[in-house]
């Protein structure tokens, strides 16, 4: 999902007070974690994910894989926390600016 800067700005404001819902540890991205991530993304639309791995490249790869497999857009990333967004097609909870 491609997000423009004005959309990212709105989503960063909404995501500021959120706590990480999905936590990924040293075991990496397992199928059960991916299933929970997809369910949380469908329900919440905007969520924080904490990826606790020591290697930055592994962390970047996991976040990229979450975006790809979940059809989500990366809004922001700070350290080991990523803010991801995918609008629910059936019942959108967040209204996005078009510009």
């Amino acid at each position: 999902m491609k997000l423009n800067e004005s959309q990212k700005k709105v989503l960063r404001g909404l995501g500021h007070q959120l706590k990480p819902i999905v936590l990924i540890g040293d075991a990496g991205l397992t199928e059960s974690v991916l299933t929970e991530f997809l369910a949380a993304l469908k329900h919440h639309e905007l969520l924080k994910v904490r990826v606790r791995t020591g290697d930055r490249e592994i962390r970047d790869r996991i976040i990229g894989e979450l975006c790809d497999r979940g059809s989500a857009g990366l809004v922001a990333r700070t350290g080991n926390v990523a803010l991801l967004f995918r609008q629910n097609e059936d019942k959108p909870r967040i209204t996005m600016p078009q510009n």
Side-chain angles (χ1 to χ4, degrees):
M1 168 177 248
K2 188 73 174 159
L3 299 169
N4 63 38
E5 286 304 314
S6 63
Q7 292 171 329
K8 286 182 181 180
K9 183 177 180 180
V10 168
L11 292 171
R12 278 193 305 267
L14 294 171
H16 183 72
Q17 76 276 4
L18 297 178
K19 302 282 187 224
I21 293 177
V22 178
L23 305 173
I24 300 172
D26 291 331
L29 185 59
T30 62
E31 285 302 316
S32 60
V33 171
L34 182 62
T35 302
E36 289 299 318
F37 166 73
L38 293 173
L41 191 60
K42 183 175 182 178
H43 178 72
H44 295 285
E45 292 184 328
L46 182 67
L47 56 91
K48 283 186 179 176
V49 177
R50 174 168 283 148
V51 182
R52 293 218 137 181
T53 61
D55 189 3
R56 174 180 226 134
E57 290 179 16
I58 294 172
R59 190 169 45 230
D60 290 343
R61 183 180 50 78
I62 290 173
I63 292 170
E65 189 172 345
L66 287 172
C67 289
D68 291 342
R69 293 184 69 181
S71 300
L74 178 63
V75 177
R77 180 175 165 245
T78 306
N80 58 3
V81 178
L83 183 63
L84 303 174
F85 174 77
R86 181 184 75 196
Q87 194 159 38
N88 188 327
E89 299 294 324
D90 301 328
K91 296 180 187 177
R93 298 170 64 116
I94 299 173
T95 304
M96 295 296 295
Q98 297 304 316
N99 295 335

